[in-house]
Amino acid sequence: MPADALEQKVWKALDGFRIELPSWGFANTGTRFGKFQQAAAATTTAEKLSDAGQVHRFTGCCPTVAVHVLWDFPDGKFSVPEVMLMAERHGVKIGAINPNVFQDQIYKHGSLGNPDPAVRRAALQHILDCIEIASATGSRDISLWFADGSSYPGTANIRHRRRWFEEGLVEAHRNLEPNQRLLVEYKPFEPAFYHTDIADWGMSLLMARNAGPQAKVLVDTGHHYQAQNIEQIVAWLLSENMLGGFHFNDRRYADDDLTLGSIDPYQVFRIFHEIALFEWETGRRAEIAYMVDQSHNLKDKIEETIQTAVTAQELYAKAALVDHAALARHQGKSALVDAEECLKDAFATDVRPAIREWRKANGIPAEPLKAFRESGYQERAARERGAKNAAAVTSYA
Ligand code: PSV
Ligand code: MN
């Protein structure tokens, strides 16, 4: 039983908050300049799912794992039951399915936006295969990110590529089951440095709307220009019923993929606040897939992921503390200081004691990071995987 009103609000928020982990966050990754091998990094899909299972075990809020199809399904569609079993064995489930239409050599000049119809067909076929995989795993969401674009002016017909994208996405949408969704992610640059085919939330919104009612926008917090007001984008997408999900990470410069809240926790709080306010005003829950998309190449991966999940819980809980009725009153009178203080009060509240109590009540260790460290899992993983990682062998089995 929550002890007081604050605890009650925090517990209620946490009861309804889940955040999905990326399988790729547990494997060795790097930058354009190199990759630092970690002895304990996951080298197989089974190990990634095992590591994700640890994060869920110690935080209680990460029951699903997003998978990247080429990286996680060794034999394509045929390995789906095997991968599902691995997930189950480690106490998690397969979440969003991420097609990979950026890695193969044929995608050098794009996927659904490629001028070559044969490449467009291959990309579409891969997305359709991923929809089938999602049906087999029972996943609701197929997360689409396209590396498509061009790096030099005049080298691509922007309008033709836009049309090819529309055609591909309409076809993908036609193949969805009624409970499935296409999430369309945007990114202003990288790997293309002149134009990206789906560069911002407006382009994603138009593409998703055109594709059909089960297509929504995916907001990756790292995929914005510096000064952009992300929570305003979130508020607009909520009003349009077009916000499908998030890829959370933090950044100082561009798509840095740093730990959530490590640079600007108030930004994440403001995003959660817009969602909480929307839900309070409308009396209905927004259908949002909260997901992590980070690159853990310096910190220990499981520890960084636990840190991420815990920070997400704290910021989500803080957002639940905003006094919405008071805020609405202050906004109505343009009482600027009072309105702003509603946010600042909530943000400044230490929610950690209430979260510790929530964990105890749910049979989760009060201090997830400490408990994980004491479990010895990291050392065991380093012993078992060290040789493989030293040899930089990555297999998909
Ligand atoms: C691209 O930068 C991205 O954000 C997409 O979501 C990919 O699926 C993910 O990173 C991993 O490459
Ligand atoms: Mn992303």
Side-chain angles (χ1 to χ4, degrees):
M1 278 286 285
D4 54 25
L6 184 147
E7 213 167 89
Q8 203 172 348
K9 280 189 186 168
V10 168
W11 284 31
K12 188 165 172 249
L14 295 189
D15 282 345
F17 181 69
R18 299 287 176 268
I19 188 159
E20 185 163 301
L21 304 178
S23 68
W24 55 97
F26 299 101
N28 274 319
T29 45
T31 68
R32 292 195 284 145
F33 305 103
K35 209 180 194 181
F36 297 109
Q37 306 293 336
Q38 294 186 14
T43 60
T44 62
T45 304
E47 289 174 1
K48 291 182 212 169
L49 293 167
S50 168
D51 293 359
Q54 290 297 305
V55 178
H56 183 48
R57 181 172 160 217
F58 289 100
T59 61
C61 66
C62 307
T64 58
V65 185
V67 287
H68 239 290
V69 166
L70 288 190
W71 305 336
D72 293 318
F73 292 90
D75 304 313
K77 287 189 269 192
F78 305 107
S79 46
V80 169
E82 203 186 317
V83 172
M84 285 172 72
L85 207 66
M86 286 173 198
E88 200 186 308
R89 208 174 293 138
H90 297 297
V92 286
K93 282 198 160 67
I94 301 298
I97 305 294
N98 290 244
N100 185 316
V101 286
F102 49 85
Q103 201 173 308
D104 199 283
Q105 293 301 312
I106 58 169
Y107 299 130
K108 181 173 178 183
H109 300 298
S111 60
L112 288 187
N114 196 301
D116 181 346
V119 178
R120 297 204 293 277
R121 263 198 308 278
L124 178 61
Q125 188 52 53
H126 177 69
I127 294 170
L128 299 184
D129 287 348
C130 289
I131 295 174
E132 248 187 76
I133 291 177
S135 304
T137 55
S139 303
R140 178 189 57 176
D141 295 327
I142 296 97
S143 291
L144 298 171
W145 173 67
F146 299 97
D148 289 54
S150 67
S151 284
Y152 298 96
T155 57
N157 187 315
I158 294 173
R159 281 175 298 102
H160 291 181
R161 291 175 71 99
R162 177 182 186 274
R163 179 160 45 78
W164 295 326
F165 259 98
E166 283 179 348
E167 288 167 4
L169 291 181
V170 163
E171 193 50 34
H173 192 283
R174 201 173 287 147
N175 283 271
L176 292 176
E177 291 193 21
N179 64 321
Q180 291 178 327
R181 310 189 304 174
L182 285 183
L183 302 183
V184 185
E185 186 171 351
Y186 55 91
K187 183 171 181 174
F189 65 89
E190 200 210 16
F193 290 113
Y194 169 64
H195 103 281
T196 291
D197 284 300
I198 305 182
D200 66 26
W201 70 277
M203 297 180 199
S204 270
L205 175 73
L206 289 174
M207 279 292 163
R209 268 239 168 97
N210 185 71
Q214 290 162 243
K216 306 283 172 193
V217 177
L218 191 153
V219 177
D220 183 315
T221 48
H223 294 186
H224 301 90
Y225 292 114
Q226 277 287 359
Q228 213 153 9
N229 182 335
I230 302 175
E231 62 269 27
Q232 182 182 7
I233 295 173
V234 168
W236 276 59
L237 289 173
L238 283 167
S239 314
E240 294 292 324
N241 189 25
M242 289 302 284
L243 180 60
F246 286 95
H247 274 178
F248 277 114
N249 48 63
D250 212 335
R251 63 89 182 272
R252 179 68 184 84
Y253 297 99
D255 189 22
D256 308 348
D257 279 337
L258 302 176
T259 323
L260 171 81
S262 57
I263 304 290
D264 187 0
Y266 196 40
Q267 162 74 89
V268 185
F269 167 85
R270 295 193 306 265
I271 289 174
F272 285 145
H273 162 65
E274 284 304 327
I275 297 166
L277 181 61
F278 169 86
E279 291 181 339
W280 176 76
E281 275 181 20
T282 60
R284 67 181 166 86
R285 255 187 94 79
E287 277 290 318
I288 299 170
Y290 296 108
M291 300 180 270
V292 174
D293 183 5
Q294 294 177 171
S295 179
H296 309 135
N297 51 28
L298 297 172
K299 297 175 180 169
D300 285 344
K301 295 161 202 297
I302 302 177
E303 288 196 359
E304 180 167 1
T305 313
I306 291 176
Q307 207 185 15
T308 302
V310 165
T311 305
Q313 284 184 311
E314 287 171 8
L315 294 168
Y316 191 80
K318 282 171 189 268
L321 297 182
V322 173
D323 184 339
H324 295 125
L327 180 68
R329 266 196 320 276
H330 298 318
Q331 287 180 347
K333 292 185 190 143
S334 292
L336 308 189
V337 170
D338 293 330
E340 189 190 11
E341 285 299 316
C342 286
L343 265 65
K344 294 186 75 170
D345 272 348
F347 184 64
T349 306
D350 186 1
V351 289
R352 289 173 302 179
I355 297 181
R356 268 184 226 118
E357 292 308 313
W358 177 84
R359 289 197 183 110
K360 284 190 220 156
N362 284 280
I364 301 160
E367 303 288 350
L369 197 53
K370 186 166 169 281
F372 171 70
R373 285 182 172 163
E374 286 166 3
S375 75
Y377 181 94
Q378 178 83 7
E379 291 74 15
R380 231 176 11 257
R383 270 198 309 278
E384 288 167 10
R385 305 169 185 173
K388 271 199 282 181
N389 277 312
V393 175
T394 304
S395 66
Y396 297 105

